[in-house]
Amino acid sequence: MNDAQTVPPKFKILFDTDPGIDDAMALLLALVSPEIEVVGVTTVFGNSHVEATTRNALNLLNLAGRPDIPVAKGADRPMVRPRGQTGEFVHGDDAMGNIGWTAVHNPDQKPLDIPAAQFIVETVMARPGEITLVAVGPLTNVGLALQLEPRIAQAARNVVIMGGSVATPGNVSPVAEANIHNDPHAAALVFGAGWDVTMAGLDVTMAVRMDEAFFAALRRSGNRLAQFIGRIAPFYQQFHRERYGYPDGGVDTHDPTAIAYLIAPTLFRAERWSVAVPLDGPAMGATIADRRGLFWPGPKVNCLMGADAPRVLEMFRVRLTA
Ligand code: RIB
Ligand code: CA
């Protein structure tokens, strides 16, 4: 047997993100995972405005020793609607837990001179069947990329998003999750494009909870990336304590769970349903799944409905502290 037969191919991921504390955890997890090659990062508004999320993406890559990974700055507002409230109240004024990130640390790092949507199109079309789009912010860049070049729906290997919810109440409205609510038009395009989409929504991301014992273990480890996560976590922990009354310094593990699914899909239970997104009104941004499979013939979304939370958390801990 040659190497091609014995070594499984890496996931080549294009990581679309609004960093963000949990985005930072997800990106660092991807960067330390041998199954994953991060071929580029695209940024979007969400947890802050796009200048801040782009700065954070550049600094995270620099921190991880990967300033070579290209970053393309993306949308600062949704495709159709006006931008709603950005997420500094969850992630801090710098969207990184108030650690004082105000500038790009490495002067050699610059975003590409093309916008994120174009970078997505060029990257996907250059490597048909190879690229996994992992989108953990509002889906604006991916929606714009679909408009620019609809053939990316056939050329991408698959899409994994953190967003939405099938059976769990929303986190920005009674029924909507933040990433979908921030740009429902983009989400509707992504769900309807006919590609292989997996939705890691609140049904799993609120079921996997990091807590103070977890973060303390990261801080104690000799690993500098783990220690960084331990440093940015307190603001996020305080938000979860005040908003949801979570005990023991617990937080939802949103964006890292999308990466966990790529690495270990058998730790998750999925159901395939057509998903519709209301574009306005009180249900705006909800992800309504046709769970009887009777009513909507459209493309099916692979909805993650359950997770083996202890094993997912253990995987995070082992990888981040290795
Ligand atoms: O609802 C959780 C999502 O909103 C996460 O992606 C978080 O980073 C924010 O963007
Ligand atoms: Ca995010």
Side-chain angles (χ1 to χ4, degrees):
M1 272 192 197
N2 62 31
D3 279 358
Q5 288 165 308
T6 53
V7 181
K10 283 191 176 205
F11 283 102
K12 290 182 174 34
I13 75 166
L14 200 41
F15 189 67
D16 188 70
T17 179
D18 59 337
I21 293 171
D22 59 324
D23 303 71
M25 297 176 186
L27 179 56
L28 296 179
L29 178 66
L31 290 169
V32 300
S33 291
E35 305 86 349
I36 294 175
E37 176 188 351
V38 180
V39 300
V41 172
T42 50
T43 58
V44 66
F45 75 95
N47 290 325
S48 189
H49 53 92
V50 78
E51 294 299 331
T53 60
T54 306
R55 173 200 68 212
N56 290 350
L58 291 166
N59 284 349
L60 288 165
L61 291 170
N62 190 49
L63 180 83
R66 295 301 312 272
D68 56 300
I69 294 177
V71 174
K73 185 165 72 176
D76 201 31
R77 49 154 294 177
M79 290 180 74
V80 176
R81 298 185 60 83
R83 190 174 72 191
Q85 183 186 17
T86 48
E88 289 86 353
F89 66 104
V90 183
H91 297 266
D93 290 341
D94 57 5
M96 206 44 63
N98 280 346
I99 58 170
W101 278 13
T102 54
V104 175
H105 298 152
N106 179 347
D108 294 336
Q109 275 180 300
K110 301 264 184 300
L112 299 173
D113 56 10
I114 55 171
Q118 192 181 338
F119 182 58
I120 291 172
V121 168
E122 289 180 9
T123 307
V124 169
M125 296 310 289
R127 297 165 164 179
E130 287 188 31
I131 301 294
T132 295
L133 290 176
V134 179
V136 298
L139 291 167
T140 317
N141 293 333
V142 186
L144 290 169
L146 278 167
Q147 280 189 334
L148 267 180
E149 179 46 275
R151 290 177 302 166
I152 64 169
Q154 287 79 51
R157 176 175 175 181
N158 61 335
V159 181
V160 178
I161 69 158
M162 186 285 132
S165 163
V166 172
T168 303
N171 63 354
V172 287
S173 87
V175 291
E177 181 280 329
N179 288 339
I180 307 298
H181 191 265
N182 269 329
D183 195 343
H185 294 81
L189 277 179
V190 170
F191 290 135
W195 46 10
D196 174 0
V197 181
T198 291
M199 182 174 108
L202 301 180
D203 306 290
V204 286
T205 69
M206 292 185 86
V208 178
R209 205 177 283 181
M210 296 172 176
D211 62 10
E212 180 51 27
F214 179 90
F215 292 119
L218 298 195
R219 285 187 206 104
R220 276 196 310 272
S221 78
N223 184 305
R224 153 184 102 70
L225 300 183
Q227 288 167 342
F228 176 78
I229 292 173
R231 184 169 156 227
I232 60 177
F235 191 93
Y236 202 48
Q237 292 175 285
Q238 184 184 341
F239 167 79
H240 284 82
R241 186 162 51 244
E242 287 171 1
R243 175 87 150 210
Y244 301 117
Y246 284 4
D248 305 321
V251 301
D252 297 323
T253 307
H254 295 301
D255 296 347
T257 303
I259 300 293
Y261 171 74
L262 270 186
I263 298 168
T266 57
L267 298 184
F268 295 87
R269 181 176 64 77
E271 297 175 4
R272 297 184 67 79
W273 308 118
S274 290
V275 172
V277 182
L279 301 179
D280 53 27
M284 184 180 83
T287 43
I288 305 173
D290 175 16
R291 297 185 73 188
R292 295 193 193 281
L294 287 177
F295 307 107
W296 296 332
K300 301 281 185 287
V301 175
N302 190 42
C303 305
L304 303 189
M305 299 301 295
D308 184 338
R311 288 181 63 197
V312 170
L313 286 168
E314 182 60 6
M315 181 178 73
F316 291 153
R317 192 191 61 75
V318 168
R319 284 174 182 242
L320 291 169
T321 58

